Amino acid sequence: MSTAVRAADTPFAVEVEQDKDYWWCACGLSQNQPFCDGSHKPTDITPVKYTATKSRTVFFCGCKATGKQPLCDGSHNA
């Protein structure tokens, strides 16, 4: 599998903590969206590391079609 599965039609709003790492699910198979739970292992898709530069709310992509991984860029509206 080299094509991601659409996990949601909207982004996931997440409160992130400054300097903490988050692993965004890029394959769409994780049961812990928007984060990786290891479900990608039978695929050639790997999670994307996101390090928060400050504590705030960010919007992680749910459709897996964003060109600005791992954050939403509005691709779900296309």
Side-chain angles (χ1 to χ4, degrees):
M1 177 180 132
S2 61
T3 304
V5 174
R6 188 178 188 105
D9 292 331
T10 58
F12 296 93
V14 177
E15 290 290 328
V16 296
E17 296 177 36
Q18 183 175 352
D19 299 325
K20 184 175 177 183
D21 294 332
Y22 298 85
W23 291 92
W24 175 72
C25 168
C27 71
L29 299 174
S30 175
Q31 296 299 306
N32 188 35
Q33 291 294 329
F35 303 116
C36 177
D37 68 0
S39 294
H40 65 276
K41 291 189 178 174
T43 76
D44 58 352
I45 301 172
T46 56
V48 176
K49 181 180 177 181
Y50 173 82
T51 303
T53 56
K54 62 181 177 178
S55 295
R56 64 185 176 132
T57 301
V58 296
F59 294 88
F60 286 99
C61 175
C63 74
K64 310 305 177 186
T66 185
K68 195 177 169 185
Q69 294 181 349
L71 303 180
C72 177
D73 68 358
S75 293
H76 61 275
N77 291 321

